[in-house]
Amino acid sequence: MADKSSVTAAIKPGDGAVETYLHSQPSCVSSGIVSSKIYEGKTMDENRVSPRNTDPTAGSDPLPTGLSCLDKIPGEEHVEKIPKIDSTSSTNEPHKKAALGFLQQQHTIPTTGKAIPTGKWEYIFFCIFYFSNNGAPIGGNGGALRQLLTNQAFPNGIVHWGGQYLNLNSFLLDITGILFAAQLVTLLTVGPYADYGHWRPWIMITAQTILYICQFSMCGINKASQWQAAQALFVVGSLATNIATAFYTATFPSLVHNLPKILKSEQDVRDGLKTAEEHAELDSYERSKLYNLANIAGSALVVVSYSIAVGISAGIGFNTNKELIYSYNVLMGYFGAITVICTVPFFLVQKHRPGQQLPEGTSWWTVGFKQIWSAAKSAKELRQCLLYLLAFFMLQETFGTYFNITGILQNEVINYSPLKLNAMSLVADLAGGSGTVFVLVLQKKFRFSVKAGVFYGACMTLVPSLWGGIGYFTKAIGFHHVWEFWLAQAWNFQTAAWGSYQITMISEVVPAPKAFLFFSLFNCVGKTSGFIGPFISSAIIERANGDTNAAYWFLFAMGSVGCIALWFVDTDAAKRDNARYLEREAAEYYSVDQLKQVHETELEDIATKP
């Protein structure tokens, strides 16, 4: 083990030693883990990158020609410098530079504490929590209940809303648009602050608690005259669900980065036992694995819970409006209880990990706006991130609004039957879970990239919209018959790759320390599609004289554009872009003392490694 005192002694102002560390045994250290030199008396911008090497991913000055990281410099104590990438180095290959850039991201921005390893139960309960996202705790039965009550309140299908008279389906899409507009404001307000300090788990806890309240409150909504209350509870509960989901997805990269095997892998890179590329590939695979396992666990729980729900619906009956409403009331309480059981354990074992430090001289009131401004200024540096943001927007437009429109048609065709609704949900999750297992096994065997997985899934999401669009011209197919909705649920086997890899893909293209800011941004954009899509679809349906199938062509066109944009996303370039972005922000906002503290902490960690 390295001697701690000798490591600490190596950190002296003016000697550039914050970029070095001592080892009692010779070993190589990958570049990109500690890349910044800090010299007393110089500005931070002067210290970021050497004039001879303008790529922060490559670090500062290269080692002297012919000197390997194992060689000792004559006349000096054995102090190993981190190898750099220069224009003549074989490590200048894009994939290798991307791996180094990925490592560098973890160690550029000052944090409020040391890494906390992910625990076994934290990992398991994270996967179980996914039931709340995958089980549509208020969107399925709650959505059907509010639609049923509104339909009973307006039997002619015309709703007086916003000073005009709207078709019922158009009204429901408008409500969905309002829901996502509220989420846009909430996430853009809270998201930028969540990367700082230790408080971010409380966002999920608060949102999830509001969801519990709305779920159980809908147990008492049982009259047509209460349709407005049903709409309000649905909107607030769905908003809480979407916020909890947004921060849940932003949590999983840090769980993976802090897995003991990942922490060991990074140390192996420092010790020269593996390459940076091997570490980056392992981290990427483990991120895919965790989110796939969460999908599988969520789907399995949903299959079991919906199987029981089908029995509950059949037992209560749904032949009269009274039985139908009572069935939904019971199911809301049933799913509310399961949601509590599946989510509370994660909150009990979740570790409140350190976030970014506040830059010196910056208050909590202004740091969120500064972070947004910093990201906005770096738009050109984050080209791949923005390109995937465009693809994500288009594809979420397709898939998100597809579910809204198809759900409305499905409820009409099955005559609001809770038995058929929950049975179809069971098939959907069984197919989705099976599809996720299938792609996880394939990835484990062939180790295909995250981009390959998400692109396949994205293409598969276009098929249902095309199918629905055909229904505009014919009644033979196009979501006019009950069997088509069964087929749509089974198609989840093919679209599972989109659900599994779209979130992992975000973690491939966004700066690691800014996960909550960028995941909030992606969720805002994804849900903005749920804001814009329903409004545009509502207008299209009105122009088509109430023919809902007309909206599917809009969705198919948007999805096609999204697939084209996704094809051109370069994840290797994204990692290099992110490294440059973080280097610039560290230089612009953080003091020399804060950046010194980052490297002193790293050296202490290295010194205490066995």
Side-chain angles (χ1 to χ4, degrees):
M1 182 172 71
D3 178 64
K4 183 174 180 179
S5 61
S6 64
V7 172
T8 308
I11 309 172
K12 297 177 182 178
D15 66 359
V18 291
E19 196 181 18
T20 66
Y21 57 81
L22 296 171
H23 284 286
S24 57
Q25 301 296 327
S27 62
C28 283
V29 185
S30 171
S31 67
I33 297 179
V34 183
S35 63
S36 305
K37 287 185 179 180
I38 306 172
Y39 298 94
E40 204 170 64
K42 290 187 179 182
T43 66
M44 284 183 287
D45 285 339
E46 288 175 322
N47 290 324
R48 303 319 304 166
V49 186
S50 88
R52 288 184 287 160
N53 191 351
T54 58
D55 183 359
T57 308
S60 300
D61 297 341
L63 288 172
T65 303
L67 179 64
S68 77
C69 62
L70 293 174
D71 294 329
K72 295 183 180 180
I73 301 174
E76 294 187 8
E77 188 177 10
H78 184 195
V79 179
E80 295 177 7
K81 291 208 170 197
I82 297 173
K84 310 299 187 298
I85 303 172
D86 59 56
S87 59
T88 62
S89 172
S90 62
T91 57
N92 206 34
E93 299 170 16
H95 187 59
K96 293 182 180 179
K97 289 186 69 177
L100 297 175
F102 171 75
L103 278 166
Q104 179 179 326
Q105 292 180 57
Q106 317 294 327
H107 305 274
T108 301
I109 302 295
T111 62
T112 55
K114 296 182 180 181
I116 302 176
T118 300
K120 173 185 175 181
W121 289 109
E122 187 179 20
Y123 190 98
I124 292 172
F125 286 138
F126 178 85
C127 294
I128 294 174
F129 187 102
Y130 196 82
F131 171 85
S132 183
N133 306 343
N134 208 35
I138 200 167
N141 292 283
L145 176 60
R146 60 112 185 193
Q147 184 179 346
L148 173 61
L149 293 177
T150 306
N151 189 60
Q152 290 181 358
F154 301 95
N156 63 351
I158 303 298
V159 181
H160 185 224
W161 166 254
Q164 57 183 328
Y165 291 91
L166 292 177
N167 175 280
L168 176 60
N169 288 355
S170 295
F171 164 73
L172 293 175
L173 289 171
D174 282 353
I175 291 295
T176 303
I178 292 171
L179 161 65
F180 291 127
Q183 180 178 316
L184 179 69
V185 173
T186 305
L187 285 177
L188 285 180
T189 302
V190 178
Y193 292 89
D195 285 310
Y196 295 91
H198 300 74
W199 72 288
R200 67 183 68 87
W202 291 106
I203 303 172
M204 282 179 63
I205 293 172
T206 301
Q208 202 68 26
T209 301
I210 293 173
L211 171 61
Y212 303 151
I213 294 171
C214 291
Q215 283 179 293
F216 291 118
S217 295
M218 291 196 80
C219 295
I221 303 296
N222 53 27
K223 299 176 183 177
S225 59
Q226 296 176 307
W227 70 272
Q228 291 174 313
Q231 296 288 351
L233 288 171
F234 173 79
V235 169
V236 174
S238 297
L239 176 62
T241 300
N242 292 336
I243 291 172
T245 300
F247 288 97
Y248 171 87
T249 55
T251 300
F252 96 97
S254 65
L255 289 180
V256 173
H257 294 325
N258 289 285
L259 283 172
K261 68 171 72 174
I262 297 297
L263 295 176
K264 181 181 182 301
S265 176
E266 184 172 316
Q267 185 59 39
D268 287 344
V269 175
R270 284 189 172 105
D271 293 340
L273 300 177
K274 65 164 43 175
T275 65
E277 303 97 278
E278 291 171 329
H279 171 76
E281 288 171 4
L282 175 64
D283 191 284
S284 179
Y285 171 71
E286 288 295 333
R287 275 181 280 123
S288 299
K289 177 183 174 182
L290 174 56
Y291 210 74
N292 277 328
L293 288 175
N295 268 279
I296 293 167
S299 295
L301 289 167
V302 168
V303 166
V304 174
S305 61
Y306 272 109
S307 297
I308 298 173
V310 169
I312 293 173
S313 299
I316 295 174
F318 45 86
N319 295 319
T320 66
N321 284 336
K322 184 177 181 180
E323 287 182 340
L324 195 58
I325 293 172
Y326 181 65
S327 178
Y328 280 126
N329 291 152
V330 172
L331 288 171
M332 287 305 302
Y334 164 71
F335 279 109
I338 295 180
T339 303
V340 171
I341 292 170
C342 290
T343 55
V344 169
F346 177 68
F347 294 139
L348 296 178
V349 300
Q350 184 183 17
K351 297 173 182 176
H352 291 216
R353 290 184 170 79
Q356 297 176 177
Q357 290 184 23
L358 285 179
E360 284 187 6
T362 301
S363 69
W364 270 102
W365 297 108
T366 60
V367 70
F369 298 106
K370 280 190 174 182
Q371 184 162 220
I372 292 175
W373 176 240
S374 175
K377 288 193 302 182
S378 302
K380 290 183 179 180
E381 297 176 22
L382 302 174
R383 291 182 292 273
Q384 301 303 318
C385 179
L386 293 178
L387 184 58
Y388 182 58
L389 189 66
L390 172 64
F392 187 80
F393 170 81
M394 297 294 183
L395 290 162
Q396 287 294 91
E397 185 79 62
T398 299
F399 217 37
T401 311
Y402 157 77
F403 274 114
N404 287 325
I405 294 175
T406 306
I408 291 171
L409 289 175
Q410 176 178 288
N411 286 333
E412 292 176 347
V413 172
I414 67 175
N415 199 28
Y416 304 100
S417 166
L419 178 63
K420 289 181 180 178
L421 174 65
N422 288 284
M424 286 181 176
S425 297
L426 189 155
V427 171
D429 283 282
L430 186 60
S434 300
T436 304
V437 171
F438 181 68
V439 295
L440 179 59
V441 170
L442 285 181
Q443 188 181 30
K444 183 176 182 180
K445 181 176 179 61
F446 299 106
R447 291 302 174 107
F448 58 77
S449 68
V450 172
K451 180 186 171 182
V454 76
F455 184 75
Y456 172 79
C459 292
M460 291 301 100
T461 65
L462 300 181
V463 176
S465 293
L466 178 61
W467 184 278
I470 294 173
Y472 180 69
F473 302 104
T474 177
K475 298 299 181 182
I477 62 171
F479 299 122
H480 300 297
H481 312 282
V482 175
W483 67 266
E484 293 178 283
F485 295 101
W486 289 107
L487 180 62
Q489 312 310 323
W491 190 254
N492 271 13
F493 184 90
Q494 296 294 336
T495 59
W498 170 249
S500 296
Y501 290 102
Q502 58 160 312
I503 301 300
T504 308
M505 184 66 176
I506 297 175
S507 68
E508 287 281 302
V509 299
V510 305
K514 306 287 183 180
F516 285 84
L517 168 65
F518 281 91
F519 270 83
S520 293
L521 175 62
F522 270 84
N523 270 275
C524 284
V525 168
K527 299 307 180 183
T528 298
S529 69
F531 164 64
I532 296 174
F535 281 143
I536 295 178
S537 297
S538 173
I540 292 173
I541 292 169
E542 287 295 310
R543 292 289 296 272
N545 299 317
D547 192 335
T548 305
N549 290 80
Y552 283 112
W553 287 110
F554 160 69
L555 303 181
F556 179 75
M558 294 292 281
S560 299
V561 173
C563 285
I564 293 171
L566 178 58
W567 175 261
F568 290 101
V569 175
D570 185 341
T571 55
D572 282 347
K575 293 178 176 68
R576 300 193 298 271
D577 290 346
N578 294 338
R580 296 185 185 97
Y581 162 67
L582 294 171
E583 284 281 343
R584 183 196 58 75
E585 179 167 297
E588 183 175 355
Y589 291 109
Y590 288 93
S591 68
V592 172
D593 289 338
Q594 285 180 300
L595 294 176
K596 273 187 179 180
Q597 183 183 354
V598 174
H599 300 302
E600 287 172 359
T601 300
E602 280 190 22
L603 295 177
E604 279 187 24
D605 289 343
I606 293 167
T608 56
K609 295 287 183 184

